[in-house]
Every structure is written in structure tokens, then in C-alpha cells.
Amino acid sequence: MVELSRNIIGIQGVRCETCSKLPYSTSRCERRTVARAVLQERLLLDNEQLRKVVVAWPPVIGLSFESNIAPSLAALQERLSLNDEQLRKVVVKLPSVLSLSFESNIC
């Protein structure tokens, strides 16, 4: 899914201004860019909604989509029986919900 997203949004090799000075950090910057793009794609967030999520909970930009965000979204959606629109509203209003351990904290 990440490879597909990279190709769709054209971010292969994208580096932020800070990372452009540090060649060894390219993969971290690219992973963060991909995670934001895939989150935006998965939840159908517009740019303003994505900004709200990142401003309200900055650690989201450092999370791996496959390891952290996708499982949290799936567990949240299944546990609360949310459709995609409802899931988007929950994440935009309370992005830190992505950091919850559903087995430990929600069950």
C-alpha cells in the first residue's frame, strides 16, 4: 500500500528542508511523508483536516502506517462499528486515539 501511495502522490525521494542537508536521514523524512500521505488517503482527509490531526497530535508524523496507524484504525473502526466517515470524524477530533492500545486500554 505504501509503494502504491508513493507512486500515486509522487513523493519518491522527497526530502524536507532540514533533511536535505543530511543525506543519511532521507529514509526517515520519506517515511514520515509517506505515513502522512497514506493516513490522508485512508481517511480521505482534506489538507485542512490533515493539518488539524498533525497540530493536535504531532507524534502521528513519526508513526509507521503499517505498524501503528493501520492497526489502530482497524481496531477502532471494528470495536466501535464505525463507517469510514465516522472514523474520519473521530480521528480529526481526537487524533491521539491512534496511540491507544486497544487490547490494554479499550477492551
Side-chain angles (χ1 to χ4, degrees):
M1 179 170 350
V2 172
E3 259 329 294
L4 176 62
S5 297
R6 282 182 180 176
N7 294 336
I8 289 172
I9 59 176
I11 59 170
Q12 187 73 24
V14 169
R15 292 166 51 177
C16 68
E17 188 175 313
T18 302
C19 292
S20 66
K21 298 172 186 159
L22 307 168
Y24 56 84
S25 65
T26 300
S27 63
R28 177 188 291 169
C29 180
E30 190 173 307
R31 277 194 313 268
R32 288 179 178 171
T33 303
V34 169
R36 284 191 308 264
V38 175
L39 177 65
Q40 187 172 21
E41 180 182 306
R42 165 63 177 86
L43 293 176
L44 301 174
L45 300 172
D46 61 32
N47 289 337
E48 180 60 22
Q49 290 170 320
L50 181 62
R51 186 193 69 75
K52 285 180 182 179
V53 169
V54 173
V55 167
W57 193 56
V60 73
I61 63 173
L63 297 177
S64 161
F65 187 82
E66 291 87 5
S67 302
N68 304 109
I69 298 172
S72 292
L73 290 173
L76 181 64
Q77 190 166 28
E78 180 182 333
R79 184 76 60 194
L80 299 177
S81 301
L82 302 173
N83 63 33
D84 288 345
E85 183 179 338
Q86 292 167 325
L87 180 63
R88 178 176 52 251
K89 287 180 182 180
V90 168
V91 172
V92 170
K93 293 283 185 192
L94 187 64
S96 62
V97 73
L98 296 174
S99 69
L100 298 177
S101 169
F102 289 90
E103 291 76 27
S104 303
N105 299 327
I106 304 298
C107 295

